[in-house]
Amino acid sequence: MALLDVCGISDWVKEDTFSSQKASVDRVNHFNFAALEPELAVPIGVDPAEFLKPFTDCEDGVEGVTIKLKHGTTTLAFKFQHGVMVAVDSRASAGSYVDTQLFKKVIEINPYLLGTMSGSAADCVYWERLLAKECRIYKLRNKERISVSAASKLLANMVANYRGMGLSMGTMICGWDKKGPGLYYVDDNGLRLSGNMFSTGSGNSYAYGVMDSGYRYDLTVPEAYDLAQRAIFHATHRDAYSGGTVNMYHMQETGWIKVSQEDVGELYHRFAAEKK
Amino acid sequence: MEYLIGIQGPDFVLVAADNVAASSIIQMKHDYDKMFKLSEKILLLCVGEAGDTVQFAEYIQKNVQLYKMRNGYELSPAAAANFTRKNLADYLRSRTPYHVNLLLAGYDEADGPGLYYMDYLSALAKAPFAAHGYGAFLTLSILDRYYRPDLTREEAVDLLKKCLEELNKRFILNLPSFTVRLIDKDGIHDMEKLPIGPK
């Protein structure tokens, strides 16, 4: 599909964003069985309203059900003199059920761009993959890598079109471009902020606490690794919806490197032993 | 949570906005600029729902600049304000209304300084002074009491400081610093950020 877009073949086909009346094949080439309105198939015997009630705001749960997904996660990123540190937990939860403790919440867009995930896993993976496609096309067209600012603006504008439709995505776009290290926070509201330090997810407040107390711009690399890891660890300790392992990446001038992946249980015993 | 204020003098407009970008209980940025430069002598101050502010303000900003490119001259502050209001009103009864509160401040060669108050229901009013946010409940009466149409620049800054001191004293939320700008016939001037130190 990306190659088709670059060759301009898709220009022949006039498409609008939501054309439910048109062809039986929708934009992503999935045959939608000639449905006039977008429909969702539900297993027999399941009452959709009851099933979705825990995930919505309203008590009756029928009128205008907007699925509110909790951002069960902690992710953080901060800039310092040697680049950008990115650290995330790895727990994927569905309500009070833990789906997996080994979920990859950092998306490697290209060797110079990373995206973190919080909120709905599906939304994050899909939109950041779409962003990766756009970044690649930019590089092919302009013969130079896209800047972090432009990449984050592309993502923010993409999701702004779906305002109010129930997307759930809180992400940090981190990279290194001509202007040096870059860090942007982008979320499903269309908010886009540039900054030196961000944390997202249900455990973000705990991570901010540890990060803010230990942060200096002139941290050494080992000190920065330690700070990032501890901030996520403390968030997983207090927040029920964060846990699993701490995945850490370091964005340098030559691209990102994956620093470590450590289980929080082992970190707990290591830090407890140090305190004695 | 967010606060905007504007004071019009005989040949200038003074505007200020707080610098906090918040998400629920967390301050994500302490140095966020809520003012958008529409042209050399027009500023749009924009607060409201998270993504809507930047999306709407940048849309207005780019369209005002497009008008200048197409026609060779700039929109006046009054025209820009009415253009903004029309856009806000058009989106109001659509599927995606923009929940933003605005102050538009500008200087026109012919009409002089102007301050326009606009809210998310696209009400537009030209006013000598105006404020948005919970802080307005505390500071509008101060502006009523001490405002005069013939304020000098120093007096206007003092009046602004009075308002910000009241916020520090009585407003439950901490707004540590404010961006302050002044518009006159020579354009937009940045003034020092106002954190009022403890007395």
Side-chain angles (χ1 to χ4, degrees):
Chain A
M1 288 301 125
L3 192 53
L4 274 180
D5 280 359
V6 170
C7 297
I9 290 180
S10 60
D11 291 343
W12 298 352
V13 180
K14 280 272 178 256
E15 284 183 328
D16 29 329
T17 329
F18 299 104
S19 52
S20 46
Q21 290 93 359
K22 283 207 181 158
S24 48
V25 181
D26 71 16
R27 276 177 75 232
V28 206
N29 265 329
H30 295 148
F31 185 60
N32 65 358
F33 299 96
L36 291 172
E37 290 294 327
E39 287 170 353
L40 192 64
V42 175
I44 330 160
V46 172
D47 175 15
E50 275 305 308
F51 178 74
L52 290 170
K53 231 202 228 172
F55 302 109
T56 64
D57 274 342
C58 35
E59 295 83 50
D60 295 327
V62 182
E63 270 309 312
V65 170
T66 320
I67 302 179
K68 284 241 162 8
L69 301 155
K70 299 184 182 77
H71 298 224
T73 264
T74 314
T75 69
L76 65 83
F78 60 84
K79 280 195 222 177
F80 70 119
Q81 64 173 338
H82 295 296
V84 191
M85 284 307 307
V86 180
V88 301
D89 76 313
S90 65
R91 176 173 290 183
S93 47
S96 55
Y97 177 72
V98 177
D99 264 327
T100 174
Q101 296 270 59
L102 295 166
F103 193 76
K104 275 198 68 185
K105 296 188 189 180
V106 175
I107 290 156
E108 299 151 3
I109 295 173
N110 67 41
Y112 290 85
L113 264 186
L114 287 175
T116 65
M117 284 206 292
S118 72
S120 155
D123 282 336
C124 288
V125 172
Y126 178 80
W127 288 106
E128 292 192 20
R129 224 167 152 225
L130 209 52
L131 177 65
K133 176 197 119 176
E134 291 297 326
C135 292
R136 177 73 182 132
I137 288 180
Y138 181 99
K139 182 159 184 233
L140 287 168
R141 283 183 177 145
N142 302 96
K143 287 195 180 169
E144 65 169 17
R145 278 202 312 265
I146 192 171
S147 66
V148 190
S149 171
S152 59
K153 192 72 176 171
L154 275 176
L155 183 63
N157 287 340
M158 279 196 278
V159 296
N161 289 325
Y162 292 85
R163 198 158 59 91
M165 294 189 207
L167 282 185
S168 169
M169 180 192 83
T171 177
M172 291 175 303
I173 304 294
C174 330
W176 196 301
D177 59 23
K178 283 192 291 211
K179 291 197 206 128
L183 176 58
Y184 285 83
Y185 169 77
V186 179
D187 78 9
D188 50 87
N189 293 321
L191 180 64
R192 172 180 166 268
L193 298 171
S194 160
N196 287 334
M197 182 194 287
F198 290 114
S199 175
T200 70
S202 51
N204 71 350
S205 47
Y206 306 114
Y208 270 122
V210 173
M211 259 204 303
D212 283 329
S213 349
Y215 175 80
R216 287 181 337 266
Y217 183 75
D218 54 359
L219 288 168
T220 65
V221 171
E223 284 174 340
Y225 287 178
D226 184 67
L227 180 67
Q229 203 178 43
R230 279 188 196 248
I232 294 285
F233 163 75
H234 283 282
T236 60
H237 185 58
R238 284 290 179 180
D239 179 31
Y241 299 103
S242 303
T245 63
V246 181
N247 288 342
M248 234 188 340
Y249 289 72
H250 179 188
M251 177 67 67
Q252 302 162 319
E253 194 165 358
T254 46
W256 56 261
I257 56 166
K258 178 153 189 190
V259 177
S260 68
Q261 177 172 0
E262 289 193 58
D263 186 276
V264 298
E266 281 155 36
L267 284 175
Y268 178 84
H269 292 297
R270 176 146 60 92
F271 294 150
E274 276 171 15
K275 263 199 177 170
K276 289 205 190 77
Chain B
M1 274 28 121
E2 304 177 286
Y3 181 69
L4 300 178
I5 182 173
I7 303 175
Q8 182 196 321
D11 60 348
F12 65 90
V13 190
L14 181 70
V15 287
D18 74 286
N19 286 334
V20 172
S23 175
S24 118
I25 57 164
I26 304 279
Q27 278 187 24
M28 300 210 76
K29 273 194 91 157
H30 318 283
D31 55 359
Y32 186 61
D33 190 1
K34 302 184 185 182
M35 303 194 193
F36 295 84
K37 187 173 148 186
L38 297 191
S39 76
E40 290 306 313
K41 294 181 193 168
I42 309 182
L43 270 179
L44 182 67
L45 286 72
C46 191
V47 292
E49 203 172 302
D52 292 357
T53 50
V54 176
Q55 293 286 118
F56 184 74
E58 285 191 350
Y59 176 73
I60 300 295
Q61 189 183 45
K62 302 314 168 198
N63 272 293
V64 169
Q65 285 167 2
L66 181 62
Y67 185 95
K68 183 180 172 190
M69 283 182 220
R70 280 186 175 149
N71 302 295
Y73 61 91
E74 290 184 335
L75 274 174
S76 69
N82 278 289
F83 171 70
T84 309
R85 189 213 71 84
K86 179 84 170 63
N87 267 291
L88 210 47
D90 286 340
Y91 277 103
L92 184 61
R93 291 195 168 96
S94 72
R95 274 189 322 117
T96 56
Y98 285 99
H99 198 292
V100 291
N101 292 316
L102 308 164
L103 283 183
L104 193 142
Y107 188 92
D108 190 25
E109 300 297 332
D111 301 325
L115 176 67
Y116 295 87
Y117 170 99
M118 226 175 310
D119 72 6
Y120 70 101
L121 296 169
S122 89
L124 172 67
K126 185 174 192 303
F129 56 84
H132 272 300
Y134 286 121
F137 284 92
L138 292 163
T139 52
L140 278 174
S141 51
I142 299 179
L143 292 165
D144 282 327
R145 166 73 179 85
Y146 292 104
Y147 176 82
R148 287 184 340 269
D150 57 352
L151 287 171
T152 66
R153 279 150 220 246
E154 291 75 28
E155 287 170 341
V157 174
D158 284 337
L159 181 53
L160 176 64
K161 279 190 183 161
K162 257 205 186 73
C163 293
L164 301 185
E165 276 163 18
E166 177 65 10
L167 287 184
N168 267 332
K169 190 164 182 236
R170 290 286 182 190
F171 191 39
I172 199 179
L173 295 182
N174 183 33
L175 294 174
S177 83
F178 295 83
T179 307
V180 184
R181 293 203 166 101
L182 185 124
I183 311 179
D184 62 12
K185 63 173 170 44
D186 299 320
I188 302 173
H189 311 282
D190 280 338
M191 307 190 65
E192 43 158 16
K193 276 204 184 161
L194 281 184
I196 315 273
K199 276 205 170 150

